[in-house]
């Protein structure tokens, strides 16, 4: 198709490609500053493919967040965000408050394996999520409190999931894999499987068994003050990446519940998944506009999301609110039902 390029739908390990419009990375709002553009390539092993895959993925992700009901007008402190696709050797990717930074690296003792963090749409959308959250709530960034730092990580993973659902061919693949039961481990719930496999070669505790972090989990909330600082992935530890899975698991269970309500008695279509992901985005952003900053931030944002889920707005109302409330309470994120 003229005017389109080939990109990954989700993680390189999922190995599904799609086409995307040639992106205008600097377009406002939420523009990007990339180094000079190379020619196109359809070969995923090349730096040219990684460039255009990252540019198209970030453009689509920024447009998704910019379309929310209460979007940020610009990034925190600038209209345009710098993107560096290969800052050197490391198994790492990061948003540092100024730029999105990606790296390439090999697990110790496995130099034959080279992983580019900036090749994965999951990691691109995750880091973009940090920047979007910083644009909406600059008071939550780098507070060195487990719950706010963990919420930042969770928001990155929620961004990875919601942005993936903007691609109709990916939605169709999720429907085919899950058989319409979303509360299961799937290509949707498994975040960054390629990067997770590389981290696990270095340290089994650094990633879930089947990906970096699986949103399909049943980790309940308990006060991080009573948890170990690190531990195996079956447990929750008081560090941002591990503790983020508590909120992401609740989010994913709620998303599955919203999809079940949307379905009613009919089969879901790919556009239903896209619509529900937009509904969830808006509830999340509106919740963030209201949730007071407190060290126990999970309960604060959860309560604000329950409030926002009642409406007004499409895809909201008492049934959706019950899903939010029941999941947050059952997982101990909210102490009890909000009257
Ligand atoms: Zn992160």
């Amino acid at each position: 198709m003229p005017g389109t390029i080939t990109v990954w739908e989700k993680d390189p390990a999922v190995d599904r490609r799609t086409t995307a419009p040639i992106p205008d990375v600097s377009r406002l709002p939420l523009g990007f500053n990339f180094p000079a553009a190379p020619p196109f390539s359809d070969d995923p092993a090349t730096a040219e493919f990684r460039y255009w895959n990252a540019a198209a993925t970030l453009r689509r992700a920024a447009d998704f967040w910019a379309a929310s009901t209460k979007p940020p007008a610009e990034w925190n402190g600038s209209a345009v965000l710098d993107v560096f696709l290969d800052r050197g050797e490391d198994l790492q990717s990061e948003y540092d408050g100024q730029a999105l930074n990606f790296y390439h690296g090999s697990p110790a003792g496995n130099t034959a394996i080279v992983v580019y963090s900036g090749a994965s749409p999951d990691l691109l959308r995750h880091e973009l999520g940090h920047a979007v959250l910083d644009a909406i709530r600059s008071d939550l960034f780098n507070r060195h409190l487990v719950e706010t730092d963990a919420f930042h990580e969770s928001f990155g993973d929620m961004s990875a999931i919601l942005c993936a659902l903007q691609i109709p061919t990916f939605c169709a693949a999720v429907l085919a894999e899950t058989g319409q039961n979303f509360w299961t481990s799937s290509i949707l719930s498994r975040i960054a499987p390629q990067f997770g496999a590389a981290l696990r070669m270095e340290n089994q505790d650094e990633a879930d068994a089947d990906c970096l972090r699986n949103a399909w989990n049943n980790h309940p909330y308990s006060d991080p003050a009573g948890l170990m600082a690190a531990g195996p992935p079956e447990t929750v530890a008081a560090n941002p990446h591990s503790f983020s899975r508590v909120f992401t698991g609740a989010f994913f269970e709620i998303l599955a519940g919203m999809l079940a309500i949307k379905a009613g008695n009919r089969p879901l279509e790919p556009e239903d998944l896209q619509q529900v992901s937009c509904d969830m985005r808006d509830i999340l952003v509106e919740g963030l506009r209201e949730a007071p900053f407190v060290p126990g931030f999970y309960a604060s944002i959860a309560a604000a999301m329950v409030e926002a889920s009642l409406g007004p707005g499409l895809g909201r109302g008492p049934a959706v609110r019950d899903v939010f409330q029941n999941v947050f309470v059952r997982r101990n994120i909210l102490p009890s039902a909000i009257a």
Side-chain angles (χ1 to χ4, degrees):
M1 234 187 302
T4 63
I5 53 174
T6 303
V7 296
W8 294 123
E9 278 182 358
K10 202 165 178 283
D11 193 74
V14 174
D15 199 20
R16 288 179 52 90
R17 295 174 211 184
T18 186
T19 55
I22 294 170
D24 177 359
V25 290
S26 58
R27 195 182 69 234
L28 301 178
L30 306 184
F32 300 99
N33 178 38
F34 272 69
F40 300 113
S41 170
D42 284 346
D43 177 358
T46 63
E48 289 82 1
F49 180 93
R50 287 194 295 275
Y51 177 96
W52 288 104
N53 177 64
T57 299
L58 290 174
R59 179 70 274 160
R60 181 138 50 181
D63 289 346
F64 169 73
W65 287 109
S68 69
T69 43
K70 294 191 175 173
E74 59 174 18
W75 305 113
N76 181 21
S78 67
V80 174
L81 186 66
D82 286 334
V83 180
F84 298 99
L85 286 178
D86 193 359
R87 295 216 90 161
E89 219 175 313
D90 208 348
L91 278 178
Q92 162 83 313
S93 62
E94 69 187 350
Y95 166 70
D96 61 9
Q98 310 287 327
L100 305 182
N101 301 301
F102 301 90
Y103 299 79
H104 73 277
S106 302
N110 287 279
T111 49
I113 298 169
V114 180
V115 175
Y116 289 85
S117 56
S120 169
D122 278 349
L123 294 177
L124 290 159
R125 293 162 181 153
H126 173 98
E127 300 307 335
L128 186 277
H130 280 296
V132 167
L133 179 54
D134 195 27
I136 296 171
R137 287 289 298 263
S138 60
D139 61 328
L140 298 180
F141 185 61
N142 263 351
R143 294 303 296 258
H144 305 294
L145 294 164
V146 175
E147 280 193 39
T148 48
D149 290 357
F151 183 76
H152 242 281
E153 294 307 331
S154 178
F155 194 88
D157 286 354
M158 293 188 281
S159 174
I161 289 167
L162 295 176
C163 291
L165 292 174
Q166 303 317 300
I167 300 172
T169 51
F170 181 73
C171 292
V174 173
L175 285 168
E177 186 191 1
T178 63
Q180 317 250 344
N181 169 27
F182 299 95
W183 182 237
T184 185
S185 182
S186 69
I187 50 175
L188 182 62
S189 74
R190 291 186 292 270
I191 293 160
Q194 184 190 60
F195 193 77
L199 279 187
R200 218 163 36 246
M201 285 180 196
E202 287 203 341
N203 181 347
Q204 298 275 341
D205 291 355
E206 290 286 307
D208 279 337
D210 50 6
C211 62
L212 180 60
R213 286 180 294 275
N214 197 329
W216 180 70
N217 73 63
N218 264 319
H219 299 305
Y221 176 89
S222 66
D223 189 333
L227 299 174
M228 304 288 281
E234 313 82 73
T235 65
V236 174
N239 69 71
H241 287 114
S242 179
F243 201 75
S244 74
R245 298 173 303 158
V246 171
F247 200 89
T248 309
F251 155 88
F252 196 68
E253 187 178 358
I254 293 167
L255 190 68
M258 291 168 76
L259 284 161
I261 291 171
K262 180 85 177 172
N265 290 319
R266 65 175 174 85
L268 283 163
E269 302 291 337
E271 47 272 27
D272 294 321
L273 275 65
Q274 188 175 1
Q275 182 57 52
V276 168
S277 64
C278 293
D279 297 340
M280 176 60 106
R281 169 197 64 196
D282 294 343
I283 291 166
L284 198 44
V285 171
E286 289 175 34
L288 279 169
R289 298 291 185 193
E290 301 298 328
F293 172 82
V294 288
F297 190 69
Y298 276 18
S300 175
I301 181 62
M305 288 173 75
V306 170
E307 200 66 38
S309 68
L310 189 57
L314 274 177
R316 309 192 202 185
V320 172
R321 179 188 191 261
D322 284 352
V323 171
F324 274 80
Q325 176 141 289
N326 291 343
V327 172
F328 282 136
V329 170
R330 189 177 56 73
R331 287 170 176 257
N332 209 23
I333 290 173
L334 280 177
S336 59
I338 300 165

